[in-house]
Amino acid sequence: MLLVSLAMGASMISSAPSRLHRSAWAGRCRRLVASEYEYDSLQEALAEVRRLRAVEEDSIGEQLKLWLRANKDPSLKVSGVWSNEPSFTRLFTHETWRQYTGRDALTRWVQTGLTWRFSTILRAISPICTLAALWAYCVASLPAALLPRTSPVPMSLMVTAIGLLLVFRTNNSYLRLAEARRLWGSAIVLVREVSQTVVTALVFDRHVQQPDVARAGASRVARYLAAWAWELNSKLIGPVLASDREVLMTLLPAEEAAWIAGQRSRPLQCLGALRRELHAQWRAGNLPMHLHMKLEDDVRQLDTIVGA
């Protein structure tokens, strides 16, 4: 692409009738070279980020590596390691959805009964449940054995209230899970919307006042968005790489990456840098007012996702 652009530029320069036209075409060729270099640099940085944490097609194997890198026990976090059954902790694909819905309910129940001992939920709550059962046994049995006239019936009246409290807690847990899925889906949509709007306004708009500045700004916006996603992931589940600064050092200049890495909330700092870049493009006249306001609203929603 770069060689084709240079060849076209050279042919245009040679066919230009005047020195003024030749100067204009030469400036256009230089802008094409600078744009191609900026795009190549961005693609190389994103490719390097992907190499830092190679994503496998196997969701189970990928999640095992992530939790191990975060120094956490994956047996409490990743389900389906032994049973190979889809669950909330695995990304559903068309194949796993067919596996889940392509069997009758009785077969799924039988499979669950055979693999219940490998459940991550059971492994996580079994110590607490064991202690609660022992305590309940002591409360129900020891008073009646030591004091013959003591009856456990009054204590059994509390079962209904405790059951209702457990139901409320379970509902709250599912609501928090649903809220997390909704927020992460909103983050994906907003990042895609910001990137498409910026590229349309700063790269493909032929009437932009400063093409070089606009294209460089679009590249920086893409870098900040990629860094924001990685830093939000690290904020939620902990660092997933040997060095928690590798992604920032790959995407951003060394001085800026070191400054953001030293801050308490890195995702918010990435959004702050994104806001400053959008404001600079608006001040330079490259970004129209209505698009700037729209992008500011999108960034504000990303900010609420970090706060939520």
Side-chain angles (χ1 to χ4, degrees):
M1 182 65 183
L2 177 58
L3 296 178
V4 173
S5 301
L6 289 175
M8 292 177 61
S11 62
M12 291 175 180
I13 291 175
S14 61
S15 61
S18 65
R19 179 177 300 177
L20 178 62
H21 288 172
R22 286 196 297 270
S23 176
W25 286 116
R28 182 178 180 182
C29 288
R30 286 193 296 269
R31 289 194 297 269
L32 286 173
V33 172
S35 300
E36 291 289 346
Y37 174 78
E38 185 66 32
Y39 296 155
D40 291 342
S41 176
L42 175 61
Q43 291 179 356
E44 290 175 1
L46 295 177
E48 180 63 26
V49 170
R50 285 191 291 269
R51 283 193 294 269
L52 289 175
R53 200 211 76 184
V55 178
E56 300 179 357
E57 296 182 358
D58 182 14
S59 177
I60 296 180
E62 176 65 17
Q63 291 191 58
L64 287 174
K65 291 182 179 180
L66 286 177
W67 289 111
L68 287 174
R69 288 172 180 172
N71 296 322
K72 296 182 180 179
D73 186 4
S75 63
L76 302 177
K77 304 293 183 180
V78 184
S79 61
V81 176
W82 298 100
S83 63
N84 198 29
E85 289 290 322
S87 68
F88 279 109
T89 61
R90 294 178 57 189
L91 297 178
F92 266 71
T93 62
H94 293 289
E95 181 180 356
T96 53
W97 182 250
R98 285 193 299 268
Q99 176 186 351
Y100 185 75
T101 59
R103 298 172 298 174
D104 58 281
L106 179 60
T107 303
R108 290 202 299 267
W109 276 96
V110 171
Q111 182 69 16
T112 302
L114 295 176
T115 59
W116 66 270
R117 61 186 184 278
F118 303 118
S119 171
T120 54
I121 297 178
L122 178 63
R123 182 180 175 85
I125 67 175
S126 57
I128 299 176
C129 290
T130 302
L131 290 176
L134 291 175
W135 175 255
Y137 175 78
C138 293
V139 170
S141 302
L142 293 181
L146 299 177
L147 301 174
R149 295 183 180 182
T150 303
S151 175
V153 175
M155 296 182 182
S156 63
L157 298 177
M158 301 171 59
V159 173
T160 303
I162 294 176
L164 289 175
L165 291 176
L166 289 177
V167 169
F168 292 148
R169 294 283 294 178
T170 304
N171 289 339
N172 289 336
S173 299
Y174 278 112
L175 288 176
R176 289 181 63 83
L177 176 61
E179 182 183 9
R181 293 165 65 92
R182 180 183 61 81
L183 288 175
W184 192 251
S186 300
I188 295 175
V189 172
L190 289 171
V191 168
R192 184 166 59 233
E193 185 175 353
V194 170
S195 60
Q196 290 176 352
T197 304
V198 168
V199 170
T200 301
L202 299 182
V203 177
F204 290 100
D205 189 359
R206 298 182 178 179
H207 303 287
V208 67
Q209 296 185 10
Q210 303 180 33
D212 299 340
V213 177
R215 288 176 171 83
S219 175
R220 286 191 292 271
V221 167
R223 292 172 184 269
Y224 289 137
L225 288 174
W228 175 82
W230 274 91
E231 293 303 325
L232 180 60
N233 181 75
S234 299
K235 180 182 179 67
L236 294 176
I237 67 172
V240 296
L241 299 174
S243 175
D244 58 352
R245 298 189 179 188
E246 290 186 52
V247 173
L248 289 175
M249 297 299 293
T250 302
L251 291 172
L252 305 177
E255 184 177 356
E256 184 178 14
W259 183 82
I260 293 179
Q263 303 304 308
R264 185 173 62 88
S265 181
R266 298 181 186 178
L268 293 181
Q269 296 302 327
C270 292
L271 291 181
L274 176 60
R275 272 198 169 98
R276 290 189 291 272
E277 181 60 39
L278 294 176
H279 182 76
Q281 294 299 323
W282 171 69
R283 296 288 293 179
N286 297 325
L287 197 62
M289 171 66 75
H290 68 284
L291 288 182
H292 183 228
M293 295 179 62
K294 175 184 177 299
L295 292 172
E296 274 291 327
D297 184 67
D298 293 337
V299 175
R300 180 188 60 80
Q301 295 185 53
L302 291 175
D303 201 342
T304 59
I305 291 175
V306 176

